[in-house]
Amino acid sequence: MCPQSYSGPMSELIPVDVMDLVSFDSLLSEEEIALRAKVREFVDATIKPNIAEWYDNAVFPLEIVPEMAKLGLLGMHLKGYGCAGRSAVEYGLAGAELEAGDSGLRTFVSVQGSLAMSAIYKWGSEEQKQQWLPRMAAGEAIGCFGLTEPTAGSDPSSMKTFARKDGEDWVINGAKRWIGLASVAKVAVIWAQTDDGIRGFVVPTDTPGFKATPITAKLSMRASIQCDIELTDVRLPASAMLPEAKGLRGPFSCLNEARYGIIWGAMGAARDSFEAALAYSQERMQFDRPLSGYQMTQQKLVNMALEIDKGFLLALQLGRLKDAGKLQNHQISVGKLNNCREAIKIAREARTILGGNGVTLDYSPLRHANNLESVRTYEGTDEVHSLILGQQLTGVGAFR
């Protein structure tokens, strides 16, 4: 249901859509609008009525995975192997709608499609693709992506997980941390050092020596799963290696897919926070008038709306570039840094309009703000993306 505007005690209430400020939909095709509407309907019917309970109880709703698969959301930007083959813009629009429901549920689609499936799709053998991608697109097999380690986050080149050759086999030992979906996954893409540099491996999670333990003490992303992984003498055949991935180019190509999705997703969380604050301000009476009738409230709403519109316009520009094959890596950093930074400000500002009621799970902004602390951190912190852009501007690398 659209929030309502209030312009005086005698006026009629009219529907409000923040995107109307810049006629955003005029920039989209009918097919793009239809896909967005389809995903929004799913979010409104399935996620929003239940997300407060899922978040409060720290439950990831596995029961919605088949419905996500039916909508073509799993690996939706990949072609063939049962995937939907949608455009980058369509993927982004879907991600924004999912994150308007909750960041954790959009993250599921990202881990499954942009990370695990993309790694196999981009760098795997045909046998690996045929074995896993159709099942993952159908939601029959969940995947995870093991890159980050307890002491290797922003600097994955310092990873300690090591795969050694033993005859024709590979044997992996090491540890990974903050790995989404690992405890419910059937397949893990594990990145490890070898004598020949960093390589990727497709690891069925029922392989002896593979252990995933959920991280439960979280103040963010509670309706999702992140895990520690222990790899103890995990023995794999030679065919488990991703044959085309060598060095950090492999995992970074997948991270860029996930970062692109975040550019859209963060704005979905921001938009939902704005809509909650706007609706509340029009209903909440203080000193005999609605909060929306006060100048300071209107200033907050205007500032939020402007940043949301700018964030979506940025996302759309990058999406069009991606679909044209012209998107550059530093441009992904522009979107990830800006939109995460602004989204968390918007969610926090929206909470202030809700007052004390805003700290409850009856309203979404503080939940979004808590989730965005994670979104802002994973797939590259503000600092990392600032350094990427600093190098682009100055020509001087300042990472070390």
Side-chain angles (χ1 to χ4, degrees), residues 56 189 216 320 323:
D56 192 33
V189 175
T216 57
R320 297 292 188 220
D323 280 326

Side-chain angles (χ1 to χ4, degrees), residues 4-7 11-15 282:
Q4 303 292 305
S5 68
Y6 182 93
S7 57
S11 69
E12 293 185 0
L13 296 176
I14 58 174
Q282 293 161 339

Side-chain angles (χ1 to χ4, degrees), residues 100-145:
D102 190 75
S103 300
L105 302 186
R106 199 271 309 157
T107 294
F108 168 78
V109 170
S110 179
V111 171
Q112 179 82 344
S114 292
L115 294 178
M117 291 178 72
S118 281
I120 297 171
Y121 183 87
K122 290 172 181 283
W123 307 110
S125 66
E126 186 60 30
E127 180 183 359
Q128 290 166 338
K129 295 174 187 179
Q130 294 288 353
Q131 180 180 3
W132 291 109
L133 292 180
R135 294 169 60 198
M136 296 173 81
E140 297 167 1
I142 292 174
C144 66
F145 185 88

Side-chain angles (χ1 to χ4, degrees), residues 209-235:
F210 182 98
K211 180 182 179 181
T213 305
I215 300 169
T216 57
K218 295 186 298 179
L219 300 175
S220 177
M221 303 286 280
R222 290 178 55 78
S224 67
I225 300 169
Q226 287 80 38
C227 298
D228 287 312
I229 292 178
E230 296 175 41
L231 301 149
T232 306
D233 292 331
V234 173
R235 182 173 290 272

